[in-house]
Amino acid sequence: EKNGFAHFMLKEIHEQPRALRDTLKGRLAGDDSAVVLKELEIDDQKLRSLRKIFITACGTAYHAGLVGKYVIEQLARVPVEVDIASEFRYRQPLIDEDTLVIVISQSGETADTLAALREARRLGAPVLAVTNVVDSSIAREADHVLYTWAGPEIAVASTKAYTTQLVAMYLIALHLAAVRGTITLEERRAIIKELKQLDSRAELILGNGHLIKDLARIYGRAEDVFFIGRGLDHAVALEGSLKLKEISYIHAEAYAAGELKHGTLALIEKGVPVVALATQKNLFEKTLSNIKEVKARDATVIALAMEGQKELEKVADHVLYIPPTNPVLAPVLAVIPLQLLAYQMAVVRGCDVDQPRNLAKSVTVE
Ligand code: F6R
């Protein structure tokens, strides 16, 4: 059932091209000019009058929400707040009928996310659930459901569920942007065209997996690893850091790259691995100067960028490339090397990859 892979996690990482395709299937209009979300039965007038969106979730799903915030705000120009479900449910969120609440949950059974959904509905907001499990509690109780078609995820560490959640965020953002008239048809077409190519680009990254195995051999014994990035790269850094912690038990922290010098830089010393994400073109120079900052403290830098950013090779110790794509879509590709890095590090350390200590796949208690 592992299809020849050593672990479910590795199998599921490799299933991502297929999962991305399935999650897009039937949701794009024939000429690639529009997103068709039959599941979202909120009328256009209502979507135009939305004043705020809340996204709430736990763990990896929360990290997908952080990408969602960035993308929805950028494309549809609606303010989005993202909150951890266990916080949202107890903080009396400011919700009214012009608010849409999006909950994200792979399993559809996470207790805190379900409670956040109930709280949102009690306060009168329509709830849209993004989930991977048909007929789960969250799917049943939400007003609208957008399924991710990742297929069953067995490994405790979430991989293909996360990337398909990102696709769901893009679909929602593009739909809202179309209804609200915040991007042009050409812009929409351009993003949709790239969205459809994510599967083959993910395939290319998976084909280079051996590069990451080599890195894991070198750095697998590290005690601390830092992840830095700006904008969408920061959201992906948080996910990369969580993956590494949960399966390899290495202490990892993710920081907005510009925030390092406000305290964390004190922890950067000779040989500490810093994974620096620099996929966002408009932030590249800024991230590059943060990379130089940590290099000046003798950190070891593993940079991750889109092909073509040769400049990094002069500064970083290692550079991993992802195929070029629209910067808003980069998280789907950028996370794959980080998933593989966490996986390979855990293997080097002899950890139980699919069943990490103290964790359960579905967290149905508070
Ligand atoms: C991490 C991981 C968890 C889950 C979280 C939410 O790899 O899998 O952080 O993302 O427990 O689970 P769901 O999405 O089922 O609500």
Side-chain angles (χ1 to χ4, degrees):
E1 36 179 310
K2 286 184 203 143
N3 240 345
F5 289 99
H7 297 93
F8 281 108
M9 183 181 176
L10 190 60
K11 169 176 175 268
E12 289 162 5
I13 289 173
H14 281 265
E15 282 171 347
Q16 288 177 112
R18 195 271 310 143
L20 295 169
R21 255 189 321 273
D22 285 353
T23 303
L24 281 179
K25 205 180 289 165
R27 288 168 170 167
L28 300 174
D31 60 354
D32 290 346
S33 62
V35 163
V36 195
L37 291 183
K38 292 197 202 80
E39 303 94 326
L40 191 66
E41 292 147 345
I42 306 178
D43 64 62
D44 291 359
Q45 189 46 47
K46 176 86 188 163
L47 292 180
R48 272 191 283 272
S49 64
L50 283 181
R51 281 189 292 133
K52 189 156 87 180
I53 296 176
F54 272 101
I55 302 179
T56 183
C58 305
T60 287
Y62 166 74
H63 294 156
L66 294 175
V67 172
K69 170 188 165 73
Y70 193 97
V71 175
I72 294 170
E73 287 189 344
Q74 171 123 337
L75 301 181
R77 311 307 293 164
V78 196
V80 182
E81 262 193 68
V82 196
D83 216 344
I84 292 164
S86 57
E87 292 295 319
F88 177 91
R89 62 181 292 197
Y90 293 120
R91 77 171 171 98
Q92 298 173 285
L94 294 170
I95 284 179
D96 59 26
E97 65 267 22
D98 290 330
T99 310
L100 171 68
V101 175
I102 302 175
V103 301
I104 310 175
S105 173
Q106 186 280 129
S107 64
E109 302 297 343
T110 300
D112 281 315
T113 311
L114 182 59
L117 173 160
R118 289 179 180 154
E119 176 66 1
R121 295 199 71 220
R122 192 183 67 79
L123 294 168
V127 175
L128 166 62
V130 172
T131 181
N132 194 40
V133 178
V134 174
D135 213 29
S136 54
S137 304
I138 285 174
R140 272 185 274 116
E141 293 196 29
D143 299 287
H144 312 275
V145 184
L146 186 58
Y147 284 112
T148 50
W149 298 115
E153 196 178 59
I154 309 295
V156 164
S158 187
T159 53
K160 60 179 181 167
Y162 171 77
T163 43
T164 54
Q165 284 160 357
L166 297 187
V167 170
M169 294 298 113
Y170 297 124
L171 292 172
I172 293 168
L174 286 165
H175 181 62
L176 280 172
V179 172
R180 296 170 69 96
T182 46
I183 58 172
T184 65
L185 178 61
E186 288 66 44
E187 289 169 314
R188 202 159 69 224
R189 274 220 172 98
I191 297 175
I192 291 176
K193 188 168 151 260
E194 292 292 320
L195 202 49
K196 288 173 71 177
Q197 296 188 53
L198 285 175
D199 61 337
S200 57
R201 298 197 166 130
E203 209 84 73
L204 289 173
I205 298 171
L206 292 167
N208 283 327
H210 57 278
L211 299 175
I212 290 160
K213 208 168 174 176
D214 295 343
L215 288 177
R217 262 190 225 114
I218 309 174
Y219 301 108
R221 293 288 150 198
E223 280 174 29
D224 309 280
V225 175
F226 289 84
F227 290 78
I228 61 171
R230 288 171 179 259
L232 283 168
D233 283 335
H234 176 226
V236 179
L238 286 162
E239 174 58 9
S241 161
L242 176 62
K243 279 299 82 100
L244 188 65
K245 276 181 273 215
E246 71 173 326
I247 59 166
S248 77
Y249 316 144
I250 296 173
H251 166 238
E253 294 202 42
Y255 272 87
E259 186 66 9
L260 271 188
K261 56 167 83 64
H262 300 284
T264 315
L265 201 52
L267 295 173
I268 305 293
E269 49 183 11
K270 191 171 168 46
V272 173
V274 176
V275 179
L277 285 82
T279 70
Q280 301 294 302
K281 215 177 281 165
N282 62 330
L283 299 167
F284 183 78
E285 292 303 323
K286 298 287 170 195
T287 307
L288 187 64
S289 68
N290 297 126
I291 293 174
K292 289 178 181 162
E293 247 163 43
V294 297
K295 273 314 298 176
R297 275 86 189 168
D298 285 330
T300 302
V301 173
I302 302 167
L304 179 61
M306 279 193 217
E307 267 156 31
Q309 302 286 20
K310 287 261 173 243
E311 230 181 310
L312 279 173
E313 291 171 19
K314 287 184 245 138
V315 189
D317 298 83
H318 310 273
V319 187
L320 298 169
Y321 290 109
I322 58 168
T325 187
N326 186 306
V328 293
L329 305 180
V332 175
L333 302 180
V335 78
I336 297 173
L338 305 188
Q339 294 168 341
L340 287 169
L341 186 65
Y343 172 79
Q344 298 294 359
M345 301 270 257
V347 169
V348 165
R349 295 164 78 96
C351 298
D352 186 352
V353 173
D354 286 335
Q355 290 291 336
R357 67 188 183 206
N358 309 342
L359 300 175
K361 183 65 185 163
S362 178
V363 184
T364 51
V365 291
E366 197 180 326

